[in-house]
Amino acid sequence: MFISTSLRIALNALKANKMRSLLTMLGIIIGVAAVVIMVAIGSGASAKITAQIESVGSNLLIVVPGATTAGGVRMGSGTVSTLTLADAEAIVQNCPSVARVAPVWGGVAQAVYGNQNWSTGVTGTTSSMFAIRDWTLTAGRFFTVQETKAAAKVALLGQTVVNNLFGATDPIGEIVRIKKMPMQVIGVLAVKGQSPRGDDQDDAIYVPITTAQKRLFGTHLPGLVRVIMVQAKDMNVMAKTEKEITDLLDQRHRIVKGADRDFSVRNLSEILAAAQAAYKTMSLLLGSIALVSLIVGGIGIMNIMLVSVTERTREIGIRMAVGAQESDILTQFLIESLVLSLVGGVIGVILGLTGAEIMAAMSDWPVLISWQALLLAFAFSAMVGIFFGFYPARKAAHLNPIDALRYE
Amino acid sequence: MTALIDTRNLTKIYRLGDISVKALDNVTLSIGAAEFTAIMGHSGSGKSTFMNILGCLDRPTSGQYLLEGEDVSNLSVKQLATIRNRRIGFVFQGYNLLRRTSALENVELPLIYSHVPAKERRMKSLEALEIVGLSGHEHHQSNQLSGGQQQRVAIARALVNSPSIILADEPTGNLDTRTSFEIMGVFRRLNSDHGITVIIVTHEPDIAAFTRRHIVFRDGQVIEDRANEPRIGS
């Protein structure tokens, strides 16, 4: 039988029982809308978390000193620094996938202003650090290249330090003494709050790396740094970046093949992967709950189609008597349930999109709608229609024409 | 005259649990092309069973049924459906039209299942409605028509695919006498003007009187088979 004719027959049959068709579709509508909304919420949350982690630095690598052996005494990694400022410069110059590096050297020192004092971590670094971490200033400016080179006596303060030393006074241009060394405050960092580990990220002072090395804390070898922060150009080339750095430092540190390295390269992508896996699980959970409602909708379709087949037994008998093949009857009822589920699917998608938009507008929970998710929900509703429509349709097709004609 | 329908020892046994009922018992008879025949008998005589087998709605338990020389007693469900579609037209006591469907669409139904294109379907159906005298009623819904008109639509549906046989099972059972005679007139015209073999199942002598041959069933057997001088009614 021609599809267009079957389609018209199906539509007429559904129109004949408008209320019933609508109620049957309601199951599918709710199911599809639920899938669309749940997937939108799940992927929205996942995208937000990914963005947050990326802002911390998913494309961040940290080069730390490794375990060293000196005269038979093995020292744990980080005990003795093996990285230098020259290593940092070599990395940024020789590794093509590296965007920025920021060497770090620092310690804890007391800062004094007027009659106030405050002990805190003083970190020596370069201005690349602020670009890598995406930190901004509320006042003043970052270090200049000259200041970094010349070990200038300048400092950037975190908000907590400002509060403790200055109170209401504007700190810019004032002189604080750090480890008794007078330093000019050139900027105040924007408030960042607590770190994931609970540290107050605003309780910190930043000075040029050379200042930290030469004037504040000293190094037992010239140019030593504690760690080197490296920003890769792209989070997709992390492995390549890591290899470039390792190869370069192997060469610079004269590490023979098979020997222990005196440095190691770490990255944050594992944290990102863990968070993404967690959100994937959540999306899957939400999705499967929604899927269950879609299946319940499908059972509704099956139920109504069975009722419809029984009600229209005589019609089926007439069609068979005038020469309808079993396949014609099967097709007719399958198309009917398919129309039910597809129309339900379309309405469900529209409802789901509207619902997701409303949720996005009312809360600041992010929603992300992908056409793949819509397509999936739609395809699933079609599958539900065929799957749950098949049994009633088969039942209709296998009716005995004589019994069907006699059916009252 | 070549035998259009030829049955040989046709037997149909229904089994209901332990009891088996012989609805047809060794029925052997032949009906030629363009005959106008009445099959008579009381209810339970086996006439409806015989009719169902002739109409390829059912298969015999044993024996042969040759339709236009071809043995159709052991064909598949699919092949039987095709035969019903192309070679047989049915008319039922209760009209059996599709509800909420126009007269025209009801008549088109067999053509849909033989994959006739829409345009041709419409043309043939209008022609069939004209033959039964229903021109102008083609867009009426089936339930808006009177009983006689509904039965005319059913007859149009039966003849639209140019079948060789029209089988009518108590076609006048739900109609008053005047309308019954009108309907029988339609059947007679189909037989005489269009050369279609018409077989009417009835228990009313009045109705059987329109036909040229009376076959009487009792207890699954043919007890009488005689020619009849047809009554020329309204």
Side-chain angles (χ1 to χ4, degrees), chain A residues 1-2 5 8 12 16 314-315 318-326 328-329 332 400-402 405-406, chain B residues 52 57-58 77-78 81-82 84-85 90 92 96-98 100 105 109-110 112-113 115-117 121 157:
Chain A
M1 196 164 36
F2 306 121
T5 315
R8 214 171 32 131
N12 283 339
R314 209 179 171 88
E315 177 197 319
I318 296 168
R319 289 179 184 278
M320 283 178 159
V322 302
Q325 298 286 353
E326 287 187 355
D328 293 328
I329 303 291
Q332 182 190 331
N400 178 340
I402 299 172
L405 278 171
R406 275 200 208 121
Chain B
N52 285 339
L57 283 168
D58 206 352
V77 170
K78 214 176 152 173
T82 307
R84 288 198 297 272
N85 186 239
F90 287 100
F92 302 96
N96 276 344
L97 298 180
L98 297 184
R100 290 183 301 266
E105 282 174 303
L109 204 57
I112 287 174
Y113 294 116
H115 305 284
V116 174
R121 227 157 56 200
R157 183 179 66 192

Side-chain angles (χ1 to χ4, degrees), chain B residues 219-232:
Chain B
D219 299 330
Q221 289 177 314
V222 177
I223 55 161
E224 206 183 332
D225 187 351
R226 60 173 150 78
N228 177 55
E229 189 55 42
R231 142 191 192 150
I232 310 297

Side-chain angles (χ1 to χ4, degrees), chain B:
Chain B
M1 210 183 272
T2 52
L4 182 67
I5 288 168
D6 209 345
T7 71
R8 290 173 193 166
N9 302 318
L10 214 57
T11 302
K12 180 74 185 180
I13 298 168
Y14 288 112
R15 285 201 172 77
L16 302 162
D18 294 341
I19 315 154
S20 61
V21 180
K22 222 174 205 177
L24 280 184
D25 188 3
N26 280 304
V27 175
T28 300
L29 57 80
S30 64
I31 298 171
E35 277 198 53
F36 191 15
T37 307
I39 293 176
M40 305 173 69
H42 300 292
S43 63
S45 62
K47 61 183 196 300
S48 286
T49 305
F50 185 63
M51 165 97 168
N52 285 339
I53 292 174
L54 288 193
C56 292
L57 283 168
D58 206 352
R59 279 177 287 198
T61 311
S62 68
Q64 277 185 310
Y65 168 26
L66 304 177
L67 179 63
E68 292 172 318
E70 182 194 359
D71 187 358
V72 298
S73 32
N74 289 307
L75 292 185
S76 69
V77 170
K78 214 176 152 173
Q79 288 166 315
L80 290 179
T82 307
I83 289 178
R84 288 198 297 272
N85 186 239
R86 308 284 162 93
R87 299 203 239 165
I88 297 168
F90 287 100
V91 178
F92 302 96
Q93 179 175 1
Y95 327 129
N96 276 344
L97 298 180
L98 297 184
R99 290 178 303 152
R100 290 183 301 266
T101 307
S102 72
L104 186 67
E105 282 174 303
N106 265 293
V107 177
E108 280 185 345
L109 204 57
L111 300 174
I112 287 174
Y113 294 116
S114 47
H115 305 284
V116 174
K119 222 171 168 180
E120 197 184 331
R121 227 157 56 200
R122 196 183 163 79
M123 209 183 68
K124 282 190 168 180
S125 305
L126 287 172
E127 221 170 89
L129 281 168
E130 199 187 334
I131 291 172
V132 299
L134 272 186
S135 290
H137 290 76
E138 55 266 12
H139 295 297
H140 285 71
Q141 300 283 298
S142 55
N143 43 342
Q144 292 171 341
L145 298 170
S146 71
Q149 286 172 323
Q150 288 193 47
Q151 196 60 300
R152 281 168 196 263
V153 173
I155 296 170
R157 183 179 66 192
L159 68 88
V160 74
N161 233 353
S162 318
S164 34
I165 311 166
I166 286 183
L167 293 171
D169 191 359
E170 306 272 10
T172 58
N174 289 6
L175 302 173
D176 59 55
T177 312
R178 203 173 68 88
T179 318
S180 294
F181 288 179
E182 277 171 24
I183 292 294
M184 286 315 292
V186 172
F187 280 122
R188 192 182 51 210
R189 274 210 323 280
L190 290 180
N191 175 252
S192 59
D193 301 357
H194 299 268
I196 298 171
T197 307
V198 177
I199 301 172
I200 311 268
V201 173
T202 184
H203 60 269
E204 294 173 64
D206 277 7
I207 297 303
F210 280 84
T211 65
R212 294 174 205 279
R213 181 180 173 187
H214 292 175
I215 299 169
V216 184
F217 274 77
R218 186 190 287 165
D219 299 330
Q221 289 177 314
V222 177
I223 55 161
E224 206 183 332
D225 187 351
R226 60 173 150 78
N228 177 55
E229 189 55 42
R231 142 191 192 150
I232 310 297
S234 53

Side-chain angles (χ1 to χ4, degrees), chain A residues 199-275:
Chain A
D199 303 330
D200 180 359
Q201 297 187 89
D202 302 317
D203 186 9
I205 296 174
Y206 293 87
V207 297
I209 176 110
T210 44
T211 311
Q213 286 170 329
K214 292 175 185 164
R215 297 188 192 274
L216 293 176
F217 305 107
T219 52
H220 60 272
L221 289 169
L224 279 187
V225 298
R226 187 155 49 81
V227 297
I228 302 170
M229 308 267 253
V230 181
Q231 186 184 33
K233 281 181 177 151
D234 190 327
M235 67 177 287
N236 298 319
V237 295
M238 296 300 277
K240 184 162 164 269
T241 315
E242 204 171 320
K243 185 166 186 321
E244 283 172 6
I245 295 168
T246 310
D247 288 350
L248 178 73
L249 292 181
D250 276 352
Q251 195 189 349
R252 288 179 59 86
H253 293 196
R254 298 195 173 79
I255 309 290
V256 291
K257 224 176 178 176
D260 286 345
R261 293 199 169 91
D262 61 355
F263 66 92
S264 61
V265 182
R266 295 174 185 169
N267 67 56
L268 299 176
S269 61
E270 279 162 34
I271 299 171
L272 180 68

